[in-house]
Amino acid sequence: MSVVTRCVKRAYRYRFCPTDAQAAELSRTFGCIRKVYNLALAARTEAWERQERVNYSRTSAMLTVWKKTEELAFLNDVSSVPLQQCLRHLQTAFTSFFGRRAKYPRFKSRKRSRRSAEYTTSGFRFRDGRLTLAKMAEPLDIVWSRPLPEGASPSTVTVSQDSAGRWFVSMLCDDPSVEPLPATDTAVGVDVGLDHLLTLSTGEKIANPRHERRDRARLARAQRQLARKAKGDGANRAKARQKVAKVHARIADRRRDGLHKLTTRLVRDNQTIVIEDLTVRNMVKNHTLARAISDASWSKFRSMLEYKAAWYGREVIAVDRFFPSSKMCSACGTLARRMPLSVRTWTCDSCGAVHDRDVNAAKNLLAAGPAVSVCGAGVRPQRSTPGGQSVTKQKPSRREP
């Protein structure tokens, strides 16, 4: 019997300090990537209007022609690998658009677009823990905050610079150390919120750190200083803009670190995790709660939970967002008629059970999880019968006859 080895692709991200020559080379590469991406997008848009088909191969051939022109001869000064990769990314964007998973691709802005470049194995050299990119004579001065997997060699390297001016390198490697955890019989329901970031069906409540609120005064001060600067490309305005970016980076780093610790703990301690399938994109349209919802980062929490569960052999179940987890009594199943957000504790009219709103919701999610896992469909709202008893109505999958 052959044993199938399971290897997970994992990205390891590090800070690095480029020399002046390396920073200039990378900045030049970022600009060329943006130029090629916009040219290819314009060409594909024109072809789209003429009802012609242009794919990655056609844009790659166009790139060869562009390099031979006098106007775009500067594209030859940078490595061709990240230029080809940006064309592949454009192809992926169009594939997602045609699959109705994303909007039509947009042009990259010099000020607002992400500054990054992706190198495949032909565009870098990694030997003895030293990474050297194409068109560079010296290796990058990387701060090795954690070691790479033993014997691992990166298959893809992505270099980026954030709005705060920090440089990062991300290495995609095969990580054999990620193995499924021993199976357990524990399951937990998780209700997300704003007063408490998470409420578990066990009754535990995890406080909302509110990272943005903690740095709100510092952020407002930096934004006021930026608003006073004359608009344009002046050095003083650039410094003020970077101060604002540093505050945002501090908030994002702390938020991401907290979510990593929290999701890792949930995945390690539970075999099954039941959450609610929330549409955060629609929820942030509520201008009263949009800032708090964005600070809680529920979408990031779910994405981390799902990929870590896939790594370690756990299961994440998402219950339909219309399931009345807060209004239903977890003791007898009776559905309350009204449950405004201001009500945090309520008493069931049928059985007299006293419920904490969030704990009750987490318990109902945990109870609904197995039904969702079996049928593959979300649990829809319950409707009360004239006698006051609730009846579960389940929506079948669209693929079922």
Side-chain angles (χ1 to χ4, degrees), residues 42-304:
R44 295 188 67 150
T45 301
E46 293 175 1
W48 167 270
E49 294 173 352
R50 297 193 305 268
Q51 296 184 351
E52 294 182 8
R53 181 185 178 88
V54 175
N55 53 17
Y56 162 74
S57 300
R58 289 278 302 276
T59 55
S60 180
M62 291 178 185
L63 176 59
T64 303
V65 175
W66 293 336
K67 288 183 175 181
K68 295 179 181 179
T69 62
E70 182 179 356
E71 181 182 0
L72 300 175
F74 62 87
L75 297 177
N76 294 288
D77 298 336
V78 302
S79 173
S80 62
V81 175
L83 302 183
Q84 293 288 346
Q85 288 300 104
C86 85
L87 296 179
R88 292 188 176 94
H89 294 165
L90 180 61
Q91 177 64 35
T92 302
F94 270 100
T95 302
S96 299
F97 167 70
F98 291 128
R100 297 185 178 181
R101 297 186 299 273
K103 295 182 179 180
Y104 194 81
R106 296 181 298 179
F107 290 97
K108 290 182 178 293
S109 168
R110 182 175 66 89
K111 294 183 178 180
R112 298 182 182 275
S113 62
R114 183 170 181 263
R115 293 165 57 85
S116 66
E118 184 177 277
Y119 295 81
T120 56
T121 52
S122 60
F124 66 88
R125 181 175 68 253
F126 184 75
R127 295 178 184 174
D128 301 327
R130 297 167 68 86
L131 177 67
T132 306
L133 301 178
K135 300 287 185 176
M136 293 187 184
E138 300 178 358
L140 300 181
D141 184 14
I142 300 175
V143 181
W144 296 100
S145 54
R146 57 175 175 168
L148 288 174
E150 186 177 356
S153 180
S155 58
T156 303
V157 169
T158 302
V159 180
S160 60
Q161 185 186 27
D162 66 3
S163 56
R166 302 178 301 177
W167 293 88
F168 295 93
V169 58
S170 179
M171 305 182 190
L172 187 65
C173 306
D174 291 328
D175 192 351
S177 64
V178 178
E179 297 179 354
L181 296 171
T184 64
D185 57 355
T186 56
V188 67
V190 180
D191 180 66
V192 298
L194 297 178
D195 289 338
H196 294 86
L197 181 61
L198 300 180
T199 301
L200 308 184
S201 56
T202 58
E204 179 185 358
K205 292 188 175 182
I206 299 172
N208 187 355
R210 302 180 187 273
H211 297 293
E212 188 272 339
R213 177 180 290 185
R214 292 168 61 184
D215 281 348
R216 187 170 295 177
R218 181 181 299 180
L219 178 61
R221 184 166 56 251
Q223 289 174 333
R224 284 196 300 269
Q225 293 175 356
L226 174 61
R228 295 191 187 103
K229 306 301 179 185
K231 293 185 178 181
D233 296 330
N236 289 337
R237 184 172 179 84
K239 292 178 182 178
R241 185 187 296 114
Q242 193 170 64
K243 287 183 180 180
V244 175
K246 286 182 178 179
V247 178
H248 279 296
R250 169 188 167 89
I251 295 171
D253 289 346
R254 294 167 65 184
R255 182 189 296 125
R256 182 171 52 251
D257 179 68
L259 290 178
H260 269 300
K261 293 175 181 177
L262 188 56
T263 52
T264 300
R265 174 198 154 192
L266 289 174
V267 168
R268 286 179 176 175
D269 295 346
N270 302 279
Q271 180 67 32
T272 304
I273 305 169
V274 186
I275 60 176
E276 192 173 4
D277 186 17
L278 298 175
T279 52
V280 180
R281 180 182 300 177
N282 293 335
M283 296 176 71
V284 295
K285 293 179 182 179
N286 182 343
H287 299 294
T288 304
L289 300 176
R291 194 169 191 173
I293 292 173
S294 299
D295 191 21
S297 192
W298 294 337
S299 297
K300 190 67 174 179
F301 165 76
R302 177 174 176 175
S303 64
M304 287 184 179

